[in-house]
Amino acid sequence: MLQKKVDAAGLHFRVVNAGVSGETSAGALRRIDWLMREPLAVLVLETGANDGLRGQDPDSTRANIRGIFDRAGRQDPAPKLVLAGMQAPPNLGADYTRRFRALFPELAKLCGAALVPFLLEGVAGVARLNQADGIHPTPEGHRIVAQNLWRVLEPLLASAPKPSSPKGGP
């Protein structure tokens, strides 16, 4: 969906989905060197949702995301950063939910990343927009998620240097 939006906007970037279903932020951190083998114009990071579902310590999630952004910053030139915020389910208590939610805007500010406040805005908790598990979006839900991301991503791509080869891109 994002590639279609990029193409329709006349932007010359290749979208690569390097996500792994069920992965935690620790797994994403372990894989970041593999992902950074190719130059990136923009790194969109959506991780931590599974951390929240598993009740992992928000400080650990914060450190993992910071580690990913630190690694991206060592690329020359460094990619622009986008952080997709997530929220923890309320069953883990108000304090955990607050701490988890706060880590995304804190890290975005600290690392100079553009923030998608909550990637699943308008989708989470809406039964018709989620599969039977109540967590993963339906195709209609995915369209909303893509639009949530596009609002932040499109201006970054429009101002990013054009990739120098067909392999370049976010």
Side-chain angles (χ1 to χ4, degrees):
M1 288 183 197
L2 286 175
Q3 186 67 64
K4 287 180 181 178
K5 289 179 177 297
V6 167
D7 294 345
L11 301 168
H12 301 286
F13 292 93
R14 181 174 56 108
V15 176
V16 175
N17 180 353
V20 174
S21 182
E23 185 173 63
T24 63
S25 63
L29 177 59
R30 283 190 297 273
R31 290 186 319 105
I32 191 62
D33 285 329
W34 167 80
L35 178 63
M36 299 298 299
R37 292 181 304 176
E38 295 283 335
L40 306 177
V42 178
L43 173 64
V44 176
L45 183 61
E46 182 280 307
T47 192
N50 289 310
D51 297 25
L53 289 173
R54 296 173 186 175
Q56 294 181 1
D57 184 357
D59 291 337
S60 177
T61 302
R62 180 182 286 104
N64 292 332
I65 293 171
R66 178 71 190 265
I68 292 167
F69 281 161
D70 287 350
R71 170 58 184 91
R74 292 194 304 268
Q75 179 181 294
D76 186 26
K80 294 183 179 194
L81 304 173
V82 176
L83 181 59
M86 297 304 294
Q87 295 181 11
N91 64 314
L92 297 171
D95 181 61
Y96 182 89
T97 301
R98 180 193 52 75
R99 288 177 55 225
F100 188 86
R101 181 178 294 158
L103 74 89
F104 294 95
E106 289 168 7
L107 280 169
K109 184 175 182 180
L110 180 70
C111 298
L115 178 67
V116 177
F118 180 40
L119 185 64
L120 299 174
E121 185 68 41
V123 176
V126 181
R128 68 180 176 77
L129 297 175
N130 288 277
Q131 297 176 37
D133 65 7
I135 296 172
H136 296 95
T138 62
E140 184 181 352
H142 277 288
R143 284 189 285 280
I144 295 168
V145 169
Q147 187 57 38
N148 291 343
L149 180 55
W150 185 244
R151 281 193 287 275
V152 173
L153 183 59
E154 191 274 334
L156 288 177
L157 292 178
S159 66
K162 302 300 179 231
S164 57
S165 73
K167 287 191 166 191

